[in-house]
Amino acid sequence: MSLFRTMVTGLVCLLSFSLNAQTELEPNNTFATANSFTTTGISGNVGTGLDVNDHFYFIPAQNGRIKIYLQYNNPAAVVGPDLYFYAYNKSQTTLGTTSLPNSALGTHNDSLILNCRSADTIFIRINANATFTYTFTYAVLPTGTNDVEPNNSFAQATFAGYGSTTSGRIGHTSVITDANDYYKIYIPNNGRFRLFTTYTNTAANA
């Protein structure tokens, strides 16, 4: 059932952004001239003449696991051209790559997942050695409830109610990783204190 739901969600997402995507604006051949886009997606073409790189960026609304959906088309001008899809953080350090060498003719779908990302700028670069058209968008996949930031030191510790449940997320990265969350609890009586913790690994790392 979960696999079916994932397939249906991906299909709906692809259909939605194909219908509503904005169109790239040239020149966008460098990080400095990157086009911004939202979850409605963006469409363009690359690989014609000197236009071998297109750059884009987006800022997710919240921390989480980000899935980028890509739909691309080899319009039969060349058989077996190469297409590469890169994601970078705001310092232009590579986060992930999708390599599509010797791409078959026609329209195809692919995706790239970025684990544990902070709500900060992510750049996309598309590179090709022959003409492709493409459309892509992104979604932030559910990874729990976010805690109130900043709470990265003893001085910034936030109150966790005694006898109540406090939820958060940790380990998300932009350029710096949110590696620590601090809390403080007021204990109303002397005695033995027991802290109950549950956690979920949403990073897809063993």
Side-chain angles (χ1 to χ4, degrees), residues 10-188:
L11 179 61
V12 171
C13 185
L14 286 169
L15 178 60
S16 176
F17 79 73
S18 295
L19 295 175
N20 300 305
Q22 65 193 77
T23 303
E24 67 158 327
L25 296 175
E26 293 284 358
N28 62 341
N29 306 317
T30 65
F31 286 105
T33 57
N35 293 179
S36 64
F37 72 100
T38 68
T39 52
T40 58
I42 193 161
S43 297
N45 59 78
V46 68
T48 301
L50 298 177
D51 181 27
V52 296
N53 289 289
D54 285 345
H55 291 73
F56 305 91
Y57 73 92
F58 66 92
I59 302 176
Q62 59 180 320
N63 298 343
R65 192 179 187 209
I66 296 171
K67 186 169 186 178
I68 303 170
Y69 299 88
L70 171 66
Q71 186 175 84
Y72 61 97
N73 178 55
N74 174 7
V78 177
V79 176
D82 303 326
L83 180 70
Y84 298 95
F85 189 78
Y86 303 89
Y88 305 85
N89 67 11
K90 68 179 180 181
S91 295
Q92 300 168 21
T93 300
T94 303
L95 302 177
T97 304
T98 296
S99 299
L100 303 165
N102 300 313
S103 296
L105 304 179
T107 300
H108 311 277
N109 297 316
D110 212 311
S111 63
L112 176 63
I113 290 181
L114 307 176
N115 291 312
C116 296
R117 301 313 307 171
S118 298
D120 207 345
T121 302
I122 294 176
F123 285 100
I124 301 295
R125 177 168 70 96
I126 299 180
N127 167 263
N129 62 1
T131 299
F132 284 86
T133 60
Y134 58 81
T135 303
F136 63 91
T137 190
Y138 73 94
V140 181
L141 305 180
T143 56
T145 303
N146 200 22
D147 51 288
V148 177
E149 296 283 355
N151 61 345
N152 306 313
S153 66
F154 285 108
Q156 296 173 329
T158 55
F159 272 103
Y162 180 77
S164 63
T165 299
T166 299
S167 299
R169 295 185 289 198
I170 194 169
H172 294 90
T173 300
S174 173
V175 176
I176 299 174
T177 299
D178 176 26
N180 294 284
D181 287 342
Y182 286 77
Y183 298 92
K184 49 191 173 184
I185 303 170
Y186 174 75
I187 303 173

